[in-house]
């Protein structure tokens, strides 16, 4: 009876509950830590010495925006900005000191109103993760001033995944790249010297980046790139695309002509070195500038037999060059599964569809199954384009349409649906769905 009473008192005091928590298998503790926010992860160290040891060896260290904002609001809300930076930096340094195991997955978010990257401790943090064999790094800078990535970063020899936002890369002279890096995402990043991310790189995404001309060494014959995305980034070197035989996914989008000194290439030359290409994203601007003064082909000399998904952004059906390129892409992709088009109406001065010989164009049948068109306004050019696609797609099963937001007429969708049903088409089983 006395023993039972003692156990009851222990349970009431919470010690029995803590004993059960501390007796969990280490693997289960690690799974729990993976699912907790950083602030709560650190607090588990008070449970017991066992939890403190597991936390100290946990390979994931995410210092996200929620963690830092919570830290500031709870402890330093009354301080001025510089004092907040010093205090937050000190705590992050203390976390590294208490973390005895290797940091393999590191995320640091720099808040918009707290530029902690200006602290001298930033060098220590990057040196720490470089020495611990970090494999995944996410450095997300939301402040106004760009973050200069410390030089120790370039010694992260085990790095496999990298994400940088609003950063500046100053690679050391002769930097040959990372041995194991396979995925890179750059947003608002400036590259100031020649470099390569390494021959193992498979995925490269760049959005609103400058200095990308310094990546020429990345595009050598031995490169392993399968995914490339370049959006609104300056200085594309079109010679890169002579070494893209392994490319499976390509995304290109831009608002103005690249300032690269290399000569622009035609659409067929851009894609002819990508026999494995399965997914392609292009915007209307590229479909204009890639003409390079040459005659637009009705069909590429070599079919893109692996292309299954084609996404075209900001397409003007009043622009003859864009329309011809779109149709050339479709006709050159005999196994195309999904065509996704986002329309841009621009200046509707002429109807490019009227200038095409629809009878001859519809002779090429394609295996299209899903057609998606966004921002319709119900124009004649749109119906002409839909007429052509419907007549050329005997396998079409699904048509998804979305009206442009400025079209505020509830009867317009019904009118367009009725007119589409009257268009002669190769497939009578295609279902029309409005989004």
């Amino acid at each position: 009876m006395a023993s039972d009473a003692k156990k009851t008192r222990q349970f009431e005091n919470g010690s029995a509950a803590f004993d059960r928590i501390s007796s969990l298998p280490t693997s289960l503790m690690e799974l729990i830590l993976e699912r907790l926010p950083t602030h709560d992860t650190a607090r588990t160290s008070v449970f017991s010495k066992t939890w403190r040891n597991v936390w100290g060896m946990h390979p994931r260290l995410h210092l996200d925006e929620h963690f830092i904002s919570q830290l500031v609001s709870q402890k330093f809300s009354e301080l001025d900005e510089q004092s907040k930076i010093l205090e937050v930096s000190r705590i992050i340094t203390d976390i590294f000191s208490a973390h005895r195991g290797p940091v393999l997955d590191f995320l640091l978010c720099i808040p918009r109103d707290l530029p902690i990257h200006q602290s001298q401790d930033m060098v220590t943090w990057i040196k720490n993760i470089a020495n611990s064999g970090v494999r995944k790094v996410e450095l997300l800078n939301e402040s106004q001033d760009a973050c200069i990535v410390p030089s120790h970063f370039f010694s992260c020899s085990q790095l496999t995944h990298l994400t940088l936002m609003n950063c500046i890369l100053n690679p050391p002279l002769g930097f040959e790249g990372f041995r194991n890096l396979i995925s890179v995402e750059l947003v608002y990043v400036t590259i100031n010297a020649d470099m390569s991310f390494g021959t193992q790189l498979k995925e490269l995404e760049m959005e609103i980046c400058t200095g990308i001309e310094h990546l020429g060494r990345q595009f050598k014959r031995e490169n392993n790139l399968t995914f490339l995305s370049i959006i609104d980034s300056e200085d594309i070197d079109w010679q890169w695309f002579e070494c893209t035989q392994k490319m499976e996914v390509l995304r290109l989008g831009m608002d103005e002509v690249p300032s690269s000194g290399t000569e622009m290439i035609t659409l067929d030359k851009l894609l002819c070195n990508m026999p494995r290409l399965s997914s392609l994203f292009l915007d209307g601007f590229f479909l204009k500038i890639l003409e390079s003064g040459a005659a637009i082909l009705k069909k590429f000399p070599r079919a893109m037999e692996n292309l299954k998904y084609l996404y075209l952004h900001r397409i003007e059906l009043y622009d003859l060059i864009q329309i011809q390129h779109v149709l050339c892409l479709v006709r050159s992709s005999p196994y195309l599964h999904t065509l996704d088009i986002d329309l841009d109406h621009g200046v509707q001065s002429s109807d490019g569809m009227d200038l095409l010989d629809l009878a001859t164009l519809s002779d090429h049948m394609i295996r299209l199954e899903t057609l998606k068109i966004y921002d319709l306004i119900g124009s004649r050019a749109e119906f002409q384009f839909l007429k052509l696609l419907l007549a050329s797609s005997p396998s079409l099963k699904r048509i998804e349409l979305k009206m442009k937001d400025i079209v505020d007429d509830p009867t317009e969708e019904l009118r367009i649906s009725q007119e589409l049903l009257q268009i002669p088409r190769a497939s009578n089983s295609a279902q029309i769905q409005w989004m």
Side-chain angles (χ1 to χ4, degrees):
M1 295 292 292
S3 176
D4 291 342
K6 182 178 180 181
K7 289 181 179 179
T8 300
R9 287 195 299 273
Q10 286 180 336
F11 183 80
E12 290 173 349
N13 291 332
S15 59
F18 275 113
D19 285 341
R20 286 199 297 270
I21 292 176
S22 298
S23 299
L24 293 173
T26 301
S27 58
L28 183 55
M29 292 182 183
E30 291 175 347
L31 288 175
I32 293 173
L33 292 179
E34 287 180 4
R35 287 160 174 77
L36 287 177
T38 301
H39 185 77
D40 294 331
T41 300
R43 292 172 65 185
T44 61
S45 61
V46 304
F47 288 166
S48 67
K49 182 179 179 180
T50 302
W51 274 95
R52 188 159 55 251
N53 290 336
V54 173
W55 175 80
M57 297 298 293
H58 191 56
R60 177 177 174 269
L61 183 56
H62 280 198
L63 308 174
D64 55 24
E65 185 176 15
H66 175 71
F67 165 76
I68 294 178
S69 63
Q70 191 174 25
L71 189 63
V72 171
S73 63
Q74 291 179 356
K75 295 187 176 183
F76 314 123
S77 58
E78 303 301 323
L79 299 180
D80 59 77
E81 180 182 286
Q82 193 59 38
S83 298
K84 288 179 182 177
I85 292 174
L86 292 175
E87 291 297 332
V88 171
S89 298
R90 178 184 59 79
I91 288 181
I92 293 176
T93 300
D94 290 344
I95 289 175
F96 273 106
S97 299
H99 201 283
R100 296 178 290 105
V103 178
L104 304 182
D105 181 352
F106 178 66
L107 180 148
L108 175 62
C109 181
I110 300 171
R112 184 184 305 276
D113 56 351
L114 195 67
I116 57 176
H117 61 288
Q118 296 176 358
S119 166
Q120 294 300 318
D121 293 334
M122 180 76 173
V123 175
T124 303
W125 306 336
I126 299 301
K127 182 179 180 180
N128 191 301
I129 64 172
N131 292 338
S132 69
V134 68
R135 297 176 184 173
K136 182 178 181 180
V137 172
E138 296 177 78
L139 183 52
L140 310 178
N141 177 19
E142 297 180 354
S143 70
Q144 183 176 359
D145 298 327
C147 172
I148 300 177
V149 179
S151 59
H152 291 290
F153 164 77
F154 295 95
S155 62
C156 296
S157 59
Q158 301 303 313
L159 192 63
T160 59
H161 295 80
L162 172 65
T163 301
L164 298 176
M165 184 176 77
N166 193 16
C167 293
I168 298 174
L169 288 174
N170 291 319
L173 184 64
F175 177 68
E176 295 295 331
F178 301 91
R179 295 199 304 266
N180 300 292
L181 193 56
I182 60 176
S183 174
V184 172
E185 181 179 359
L186 309 176
V187 181
Y188 287 108
V189 170
T190 297
I191 304 173
N192 283 334
D194 291 345
M195 67 170 292
S196 165
F197 290 108
T199 58
Q200 300 304 311
L201 191 69
K202 292 186 176 181
E203 300 180 3
L204 176 58
E205 298 182 60
M206 297 181 288
E207 183 174 355
I208 318 176
C209 293
T210 56
I212 68 173
E213 72 273 12
H214 292 299
L215 293 176
R217 284 189 289 164
Q218 189 68 58
F219 295 86
K220 299 299 182 182
R221 290 292 176 185
E222 65 272 16
N223 84 77
N224 287 292
L225 280 173
T226 60
F227 181 106
L228 177 62
S229 175
I230 306 177
I231 305 297
D232 295 337
S233 298
E234 299 177 356
D235 301 317
I236 294 176
D237 188 339
W238 300 107
Q239 294 180 356
W240 293 346
F241 296 96
E242 296 176 0
C243 306
T244 50
Q245 285 77 14
K246 297 180 181 179
M247 195 68 63
E248 296 176 6
V249 179
L250 176 66
R251 301 177 72 243
L252 294 176
M254 189 162 289
D255 288 326
E256 58 184 25
V257 178
S259 57
S260 171
T262 59
E263 183 180 352
M264 294 291 296
I265 58 176
T266 57
L267 186 62
D268 58 314
K269 288 183 178 180
L270 172 70
L271 301 175
C272 70
N273 289 320
M274 304 181 197
R276 303 182 186 180
L277 196 65
S278 62
S279 180
L280 176 62
F281 169 104
L282 292 174
D283 68 6
F285 186 80
F286 264 109
L287 292 183
K288 286 183 180 181
I289 66 176
L290 288 178
E291 182 196 15
S292 190
I296 299 178
L297 300 174
K298 290 187 175 182
K299 192 175 182 181
F300 294 158
R302 184 174 66 182
M304 296 189 293
E305 296 186 350
N306 288 306
L307 190 64
K308 301 295 191 301
Y309 183 88
L310 177 59
Y311 177 41
L312 302 173
H313 181 54
R314 296 182 299 190
I315 300 300
E316 299 179 25
L317 295 181
Y318 298 86
D319 188 297
L320 181 59
I321 293 176
Q322 287 191 35
I323 297 171
Q324 289 176 315
H325 272 139
V326 170
L327 296 176
C328 181
L329 283 167
V330 171
R331 288 193 301 266
S332 302
S333 310
Y335 301 102
L336 186 65
H337 179 277
T338 300
L339 176 59
D340 196 331
I341 300 178
D342 182 7
L343 297 177
D344 183 8
H345 299 281
V347 180
Q348 302 176 13
S349 57
S350 62
D351 193 342
M353 291 299 300
D354 284 342
L355 303 177
L356 300 177
D357 185 354
L358 299 184
T360 59
L361 292 175
S362 59
D363 290 340
H364 301 82
M365 293 296 172
I366 54 178
R367 301 187 182 184
L368 190 66
E369 294 187 11
T370 301
L371 173 64
K372 302 178 182 181
I373 300 184
Y374 301 87
D375 287 345
L376 290 162
I377 60 173
S379 69
R380 184 172 181 275
E382 292 168 355
F383 281 106
Q384 288 284 84
F385 187 67
L386 284 167
K387 179 179 180 180
L388 172 61
L389 290 176
L390 294 177
S392 307
S393 308
S395 303
L396 194 61
K397 298 178 181 178
R398 186 181 183 88
I399 303 173
E400 296 183 8
L401 305 174
K402 185 178 186 302
M403 296 298 297
K404 192 172 178 62
D405 292 338
I406 61 172
V407 180
D408 191 20
D409 185 354
T411 64
E412 190 68 8
E413 291 183 6
L414 177 61
R415 181 188 70 80
I416 294 176
S417 297
Q418 292 174 339
E419 292 194 30
L420 287 178
L421 291 174
Q422 297 175 7
I423 295 177
R425 45 184 169 163
S427 172
N428 292 319
S429 60
Q431 300 296 316
I432 301 175
Q433 178 178 344
W434 288 94
M435 294 177 286

